[in-house]
Amino acid sequence: NYKIIHNKFVNATYLLYQCGTEPPQEEVESGEHKLILEVPHKGGLALTSTVQIPAIELLGLRSEVKAYVGNTKWISSPCLNYMLDEGEIINIDGDRVDVAHSQSASSVEEYLLQNPEALILGGPYDDANADRTMVIAGSQENTNVGQFDWIAFYAALYNKEDMSNRIARSAQQNYDCASENSFLLSSSPTQRNLKATSPRRVAEEDDKRPTLLWASWFEGYGWSVASCPTYQSDTECEWAAACNVKILSRPEGVGNAPESLGGRYWYLSDEEFLEFGKDADRWVYKSQHWDKVFAEKGEEYLSQFKAYQNQQIYDTQGVSPNSWYEQRLAEYYVVGMDVCAIMGVDDGLHKSRWLRNIFTDPVGVMPECNVAEIDEPYVAPVSECVPIAAKLNVASKGDGEGNAGAVSTFQGIFFFLV
């Protein structure tokens, strides 16, 4: 009759008990739980980040969102924007908002006074002890699968675990399928053992696989590039491994890590970056500001890159300028298929959805919200991956070889059900 969620990132537990029952007395008296909540939750949700929106939409819970904290201009969801415009979602902390909406509240405290049963979904570095707050830390997972699996956290609030399991399983099956296909189609397949405990490095050997440059420019700092000592180091490392392509990884000690940013982020100078990436076959520019960097660096500099010469540079505006930081989280497996497609290691049937060729493709535009189906679960508008092993009359990878899509770091939450 109850379940306990343990958020390991902030070391907090939440006790959820079923509507019509009483929470277990021993758990209540233990004083260990940051929040004790009846489920299905009926007090509405206040979101604090766009990265929380995809799971809500996948589960068909848009109408449960009653407030959004912070600047709404970064929201790309057509339906949440519609609900904001219609006053169905209140904007909290309106002094930080430069988009006019019909309702607002000056603070979370004010909102909770008016809506005492509301639940605030905080970010990973928000106060875990704040009133009526549950911290969501999916963004702190290094891999795509790990980030996506936090859908189970949202599902637990509404007893939708079966649904979230089906969604997660379907996503991973498509991801695994794309990885399997790329392995079979690769001109230089490597025998990979990519289990969670494997120390194997991404692209550790000098091989003939196509090379991927994953990099973008940050004004005042320099070029930010992939750092992939293992395929689990970051999402782009995982995509590259899933597609069996070689991603260029920043060599240790190359670049600078500004103390103003805590020494956590490394940047390359123009000279270092040219030496690092000039021979890459494809370049993914993870930003919507290619025009800005082109104006800053100029064609004389950029034309020294092989990817530029061959018109093989892609940015992240395939769906829309801002949706990479939101809706893309609902479609990590589609991005995996995109990476395989642009690298030429797929069956040729999938057209890249998220990664836009800056030379040939237009900037994507999000469709309008279908108001009549506002509570319908979000489904990605792409065809499912079709395994090609049978067509090629070859054996698929053995059980001992695994693939990148099959691994989740999913270390941030733990469920205990009774």
Side-chain angles (χ1 to χ4, degrees), residues 84-141:
L84 279 160
D85 290 336
E86 293 296 310
E88 297 174 22
I89 296 177
I90 292 175
N91 184 223
I92 301 174
D93 200 3
D95 61 317
R96 286 166 41 197
V97 177
D98 57 7
V99 179
H101 293 298
S102 55
Q103 297 190 51
S104 64
S106 61
S107 67
V108 171
E109 291 74 18
E110 178 187 344
Y111 179 74
L112 286 176
L113 284 175
Q114 300 168 0
N115 303 273
E117 298 303 312
L119 186 61
I120 311 297
L121 299 185
Y125 296 102
D126 287 340
D127 183 2
N129 296 312
D131 189 27
R132 300 290 298 176
T133 297
M134 297 181 75
V135 168
I136 306 291
S139 61
Q140 302 307 296
E141 301 279 1

Side-chain angles (χ1 to χ4, degrees), residues 101-403:
H101 293 298
S102 55
Q103 297 190 51
S104 64
S106 61
S107 67
V108 171
E109 291 74 18
E110 178 187 344
Y111 179 74
L112 286 176
L113 284 175
Q114 300 168 0
N115 303 273
E117 298 303 312
L119 186 61
I120 311 297
L121 299 185
Y125 296 102
D126 287 340
D127 183 2
N129 296 312
D131 189 27
R132 300 290 298 176
T133 297
M134 297 181 75
V135 168
I136 306 291
S139 61
Q140 302 307 296
E141 301 279 1
N142 289 335
T143 67
N144 297 286
V145 180
Q147 292 176 5
F148 190 86
D149 280 350
W150 276 74
I151 190 175
F153 195 115
Y154 302 85
L157 298 174
Y158 295 93
N159 293 335
K160 287 181 173 283
E161 288 91 342
D162 286 346
M163 182 180 184
S164 73
N165 288 339
R166 289 196 302 272
I167 292 170
R169 186 163 53 247
S170 175
Q172 185 150 355
Q173 286 172 347
N174 277 287
Y175 195 32
D176 291 350
C177 170
S179 178
E180 174 86 359
N181 287 351
S182 70
F183 179 88
L184 294 173
L185 290 166
S186 173
S187 60
S188 177
T190 55
Q191 296 296 315
R192 295 172 298 154
N193 180 9
L194 298 178
K195 294 185 177 181
T197 56
S198 172
R200 179 176 176 80
R201 297 170 63 88
V202 173
E204 64 182 4
E205 66 280 337
D206 184 17
D207 55 39
K208 296 181 180 180
R209 292 179 294 168
T211 51
L212 172 62
L213 172 62
W214 193 281
S216 53
W217 166 260
F218 284 80
E219 183 69 34
Y221 295 102
W223 293 94
S224 174
V225 303
S227 180
C228 300
T230 73
Y231 81 96
Q232 286 185 324
S233 299
D234 213 332
T235 53
E236 61 267 22
C237 312
E238 183 187 358
W239 283 318
C243 295
N244 197 30
V245 300
K246 180 179 179 179
I247 188 169
L248 298 182
S249 178
R250 181 185 64 80
E252 187 173 353
V254 174
N256 70 94
E259 293 184 6
S260 60
L261 299 179
R264 296 176 56 193
Y265 305 102
W266 287 79
Y267 300 93
L268 275 59
S269 67
D270 285 352
E271 294 75 16
E272 290 170 329
F273 182 61
L274 178 60
E275 181 64 26
F276 174 77
K278 63 182 179 181
D279 295 323
D281 296 302
R282 308 287 191 277
W283 177 357
V284 171
Y285 188 80
K286 197 187 77 170
S287 175
Q288 67 272 53
H289 301 304
W290 172 261
D291 289 345
K292 183 177 179 180
V293 77
F294 184 85
E296 173 81 19
K297 300 301 177 184
E299 186 168 21
E300 182 177 354
Y301 174 75
L302 294 169
S303 64
Q304 298 177 83
F305 290 83
K306 178 182 177 181
Y308 184 92
Q309 297 164 11
N310 295 334
Q311 296 192 345
Q312 292 297 321
I313 300 179
Y314 300 80
D315 69 9
T316 56
Q317 298 187 92
V319 173
S320 77
N322 291 328
S323 53
W324 176 265
Y325 303 100
E326 180 187 319
Q327 192 182 46
R328 181 261 308 173
L329 297 170
E331 302 183 26
Y332 77 89
Y333 59 97
V334 180
V335 181
M337 294 165 69
D338 288 358
V339 171
C340 293
I342 70 169
M343 298 303 295
V345 287
D346 74 337
D347 57 11
L349 299 178
H350 175 74
K351 185 182 186 310
S352 180
R353 167 170 161 80
W354 287 94
L355 303 179
R356 177 190 76 107
N357 187 304
I358 65 166
F359 298 98
T360 61
D361 297 334
V363 174
V365 178
M366 292 288 282
E368 292 186 1
C369 174
N370 185 344
V371 179
E373 299 181 357
I374 207 163
D375 285 323
E376 289 297 311
Y378 174 77
V379 178
V382 294
S383 300
E384 292 189 352
C385 176
V386 178
I388 64 171
K391 294 180 181 179
L392 298 178
N393 195 28
V394 297
S396 62
K397 287 178 288 185
D399 294 337
E401 292 167 21
N403 58 47

